[in-house]
């Protein structure tokens, strides 16, 4: 681990200023950052400890939604009665991830910002344009089983490993931040992550020193069914190969609203408005769900070891939609 | 730096990069917590910080000077076993014993989480479910045992949970 300066600022404003210089990194739960610094995949020379700042509240918002402090641990968020009652998909997604020990330490903000688990990103001896821009991508033509089939570029095929973020995308979350100059901004989760393009090392729209302070969720439509479906190699303590977060309402036997986000498929939690459009106003049927999968997967491309994700995503989507529309026995 | 571990005050001057695990093992002679993977994947390093189970290999000592840290040494001694330690002995919940301190610390934390009403991935109802052996296995999935003592680990935890009426929660509807 490269040696670092350690600061513990006493306010979010001070933290944002402390984290502005290149080479500075916030540390909250540390469960991803310390893993990566031990391997010298990340080499911050300054750690800005935000773990004791007053950003760990969960509060109702005026519009009937929820404001989740950036430092709320994943465990507490999953177990909060407001979340289990109103945002079941978020609780299910959180509980499907990691282990009890990790969930107790990992935070909301950190979970959004966690890095890919691509084996080549993790291996400093490998070519990885995300870890070392310009060094190539050894995952292409390598063992890319856990990597992306959508949203990739010729520089990077990494997936985002979070479960929580997938649920938050299906819930139309807003990321609330504080910049070093004191400005605050609200970023839709739809705009928060960046496609790899030619710069896979830039994963979000956050600016240097910009601190996530909270994530806000709007209220869920009345009568919505919510589901998180995670397909993985083990029954517990494994990342998703493919996951689906769904929030669906029905009206008069037809799909009225459909929010569906996917994990394991892309460099960020994946959502396809055209796919959702194809569902809305129609009666549920396998033919409809198949057609939606056609839209979702039209541009999907396997890279040798992850081709299975494409038919797997289709089946996971169809199974999820059956459950979300109450038609699983048909 | 100053630490409070198992109710005792400690002073140490470790490198800033030192984890809680290495602080305990290399600086303070508390070798009960084990280094299995050093990357948060095996749970052998599990300790309790302010009563919550965490992987001590993935957190820096410098960040926890104001916290109450409990290691396996603080849960029981050979002369005064913690109920879980006694249960692990009774149910033969280990072979080599390397994962065992982490299993026990994790189980202490886990049973507290159950008592608080926290659901798990396998809970049918997020607001209260039956505390099955499947729940134990899911909640303990962050602790790996290469000797595969799992059936007896679950039995040992089940025994203590039943005796403490830990799962006093409403049944699934």
């Amino acid at each position: 681990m490269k040696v670092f300066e350690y600061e513990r600022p006493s306010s979010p404003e001070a933290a944002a200023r402390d984290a502005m210089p290149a080479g500075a990194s916030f540390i909250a739960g540390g469960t991803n950052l310390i893993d990566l610094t031990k391997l010298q995949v990340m080499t911050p020379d300054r750690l800005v400890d935000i773990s004791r700042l007053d950003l760990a509240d969960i509060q109702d918002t005026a519009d009937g939604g929820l404001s989740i402090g950036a430092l709320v641990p994943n465990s507490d968020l999953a177990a909060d009665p407001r979340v289990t009652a109103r945002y079941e998909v978020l609780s299910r997604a959180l509980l499907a991830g990691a282990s009890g020990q990790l969930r107790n330490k990992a935070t909301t903000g950190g979970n959004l910002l966690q890095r890919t688990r691509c084996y080549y990103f993790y291996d400093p001896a490998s070519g990885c344009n995300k870890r070392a821009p310009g060094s190539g991508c050894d995952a292409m033509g390598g063992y890319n089983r856990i990597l992306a089939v959508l949203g990739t570029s010729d520089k990077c095929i990494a997936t985002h490993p979070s479960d929580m973020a997938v649920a938050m995308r299906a819930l139309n979350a807003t990321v609330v931040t504080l910049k070093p100059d004191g400005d605050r901004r609200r970023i839709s989760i739809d705009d928060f992550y960046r496609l790899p393009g030619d710069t896979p090392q830039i994963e979000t729209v956050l600016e240097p020193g910009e601190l996530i302070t909270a994530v806000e969720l709007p209220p869920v439509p009345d009568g919505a069914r919510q589901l998180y479906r995670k397909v993985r190699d083990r029954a517990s303590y494994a990342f998703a190969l493919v996951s689906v977060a769904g929030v669906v309402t029905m009206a008069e036997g037809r799909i009225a609203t459909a929010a569906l986000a996917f994990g394991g498929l892309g460099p960020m939690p994946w959502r396809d408005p055209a796919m959702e459009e194809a569902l809305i106003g129609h009666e549920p049927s396998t033919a409809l769900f198949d057609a939606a999968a056609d839209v979702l997967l039209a541009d999907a491309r396997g890279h040798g070891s992850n081709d299975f994700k494409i038919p797997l995503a289709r089946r996971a989507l169809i199974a999820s939609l059956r459950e979300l529309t109450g038609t699983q026995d048909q | 730096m100053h630490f409070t571990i198992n109710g005792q005050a400690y002073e140490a001057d470790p490198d800033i990069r030192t984890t809680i695990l290495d602080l305990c093992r290399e600086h303070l002679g508390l070798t009960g917590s084990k280094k299995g993977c050093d990357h948060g994947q095996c749970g052998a390093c599990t300790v309790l910080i302010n009563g919550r189970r965490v992987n001590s290999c993935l957190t820096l000592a410098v960040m926890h000077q104001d916290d109450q840290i409990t290691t396996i040494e603080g849960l029981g001694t050979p002369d005064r076993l913690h109920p879980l330690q006694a249960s692990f002995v009774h149910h033969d919940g280990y072979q080599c014993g390397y994962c065992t301190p982490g299993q026990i610390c994790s189980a202490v934390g886990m049973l507290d989480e159950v008592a608080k009403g926290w659901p798990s991935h396998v809970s049918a109802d997020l607001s209260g479910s039956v505390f099955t052996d499947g729940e134990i296995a899911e909640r303990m999935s962050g602790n790996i045992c290469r000797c595969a003592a799992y059936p007896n680990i679950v039995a040992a935890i089940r025994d203590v949970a039943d005796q403490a009426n830990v799962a006093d929660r409403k049944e699934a509807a």
Side-chain angles (χ1 to χ4, degrees):
Chain A
M1 196 187 293
K2 191 172 124 188
V3 74
F4 48 80
E5 285 173 16
Y6 170 79
E7 316 233 351
R8 190 193 282 189
S10 54
S11 72
E13 291 76 11
R17 288 191 299 270
D18 284 347
M20 251 196 84
S25 181
F26 296 117
I27 184 165
T31 53
N32 191 217
L33 181 60
I34 294 175
D35 182 23
L36 292 169
T37 56
K38 286 188 185 195
L39 296 165
Q40 303 225 9
V41 172
M42 290 183 74
T43 52
D45 37 46
R46 173 190 286 185
L47 289 188
V48 179
D49 180 359
I50 57 170
S51 66
R52 291 176 202 271
L53 295 178
D54 187 16
L55 296 172
D57 281 340
I58 301 174
Q59 288 172 4
D60 290 317
T61 57
D63 67 349
L66 209 62
S67 173
I68 302 163
L71 292 176
V72 176
N74 290 175
S75 290
D76 302 68
L77 184 57
D80 189 278
R82 290 162 290 191
V83 178
T84 58
R86 289 149 54 190
Y87 298 97
E88 179 181 353
V89 61
L90 177 59
S91 182
R92 290 285 180 199
L94 283 158
L95 292 172
S99 68
Q101 292 93 318
L102 291 169
R103 293 189 297 269
N104 280 349
K105 201 77 167 35
T107 64
T108 307
N111 192 315
L112 290 176
L113 294 175
Q114 70 181 289
R115 312 301 303 278
T116 185
R117 299 310 193 278
C118 173
Y119 309 133
Y120 301 89
F121 173 73
Y122 260 77
D123 173 20
S126 286
C128 171
N129 291 319
K130 184 183 285 290
R131 175 177 32 80
S135 65
C137 172
D138 285 346
M140 299 187 208
Y143 189 58
N144 47 52
R145 183 167 186 273
I146 64 170
L147 303 179
V149 296
L150 289 167
T152 58
S153 75
D154 60 7
K155 300 290 190 293
C156 184
I157 59 171
T159 36
H160 194 282
S162 172
D163 296 295
M164 183 201 79
V166 178
M168 283 190 165
R169 185 136 197 219
L171 291 168
N172 299 302
T174 299
V175 181
V176 183
T177 70
L178 171 68
K179 292 201 213 182
D181 63 4
D183 268 3
R184 293 174 186 272
R185 61 170 172 157
R186 303 168 58 80
I187 311 164
S188 165
I189 197 168
D190 295 336
D191 305 322
F192 182 73
Y193 294 104
R194 292 176 46 140
L195 290 167
D198 288 330
T199 55
Q201 71 277 16
I202 306 174
E203 298 180 344
T204 72
V205 299
L206 293 176
E207 294 166 13
E210 189 168 5
L211 174 68
I212 298 174
T213 56
V215 176
E216 290 186 6
L217 303 177
V220 160
D222 282 338
R225 273 177 130 124
Q226 303 182 35
L227 165 156
Y228 190 69
R229 185 183 204 93
K230 183 172 183 178
V231 185
R232 48 180 168 171
D233 288 325
R234 290 182 294 281
S236 187
Y237 204 14
F239 293 99
L241 295 170
V242 171
S243 72
V244 185
V247 182
V248 165
T249 63
M250 303 285 290
E252 290 155 21
R254 291 167 185 272
I255 296 170
T257 65
L260 291 138
F262 300 86
L265 297 183
M268 66 278 283
W270 197 258
R271 212 171 143 176
D272 189 331
M275 186 208 81
E276 295 172 5
E277 261 311 298
L279 292 167
I280 286 165
H282 296 283
E283 287 180 21
S285 71
T286 302
L288 177 72
F289 302 158
D290 241 324
D294 289 342
V295 175
L296 173 71
L297 300 166
D299 296 329
R301 193 191 140 207
H303 296 276
S305 323
N306 68 354
D307 303 5
F308 72 93
K309 284 196 177 188
I310 300 172
L312 181 60
R314 175 178 298 270
R315 292 195 299 270
L317 173 62
I318 292 172
S320 301
L321 285 169
R322 285 200 175 125
E323 214 176 306
L324 286 162
T325 57
T327 57
Q328 54 264 57
D329 296 321
Q330 289 170 18
Chain B
M1 304 185 201
H2 56 271
F3 302 95
T4 308
I5 306 179
N6 302 324
Q8 200 176 322
Y10 290 89
E11 295 284 325
D13 192 23
D15 185 292
I16 194 85
R17 295 165 284 185
T18 306
T19 61
I20 288 285
L21 179 63
D22 283 333
L23 172 77
C24 288
R25 293 183 55 79
E26 307 295 330
H27 295 262
L28 301 181
L30 295 167
T31 54
S33 309
K34 304 304 184 209
K35 180 174 288 192
C37 73
D38 211 25
H39 283 277
Q41 295 174 21
C42 77
C45 69
T46 306
V47 301
L48 299 157
I49 297 185
N50 300 333
R52 293 164 67 103
R53 53 177 175 159
V54 298
N55 294 128
S56 63
C57 70
L58 282 188
T59 194
L60 298 172
V62 66
M63 293 177 67
H64 292 285
Q65 297 180 71
D66 304 312
D67 290 324
Q68 303 284 332
I69 299 168
T70 305
T71 68
I72 187 69
E73 289 92 343
L75 291 182
T77 65
D79 300 318
R80 211 168 158 259
L81 294 176
H82 186 280
L84 271 166
Q85 289 174 315
S87 193
F88 268 66
V89 172
H90 177 74
H91 288 279
D92 196 24
Y94 52 87
Q95 288 187 35
C96 76
Y98 199 73
C99 75
T100 311
Q103 297 278 359
I104 290 172
C105 286
S106 183
V108 170
M110 182 275 281
L111 292 175
D112 193 58
E113 293 163 13
V114 172
K116 287 197 289 209
W118 285 10
S120 86
H121 171 62
V122 300
S123 304
D125 182 345
L126 290 173
S127 50
S129 280
V130 181
F131 187 54
T132 59
D133 283 359
E135 286 274 2
I136 295 177
E138 163 59 27
R139 291 167 188 267
M140 293 297 295
S141 71
N143 290 87
I144 298 178
C145 174
R146 194 63 176 82
C147 300
Y150 299 114
N152 293 354
I153 291 171
V154 172
I157 295 170
R158 157 67 57 201
D159 199 350
V160 169
D162 286 349
Q163 297 210 36
N165 287 322
V166 162
D168 218 337
R169 298 154 68 196
K170 65 177 193 257
E171 308 269 306

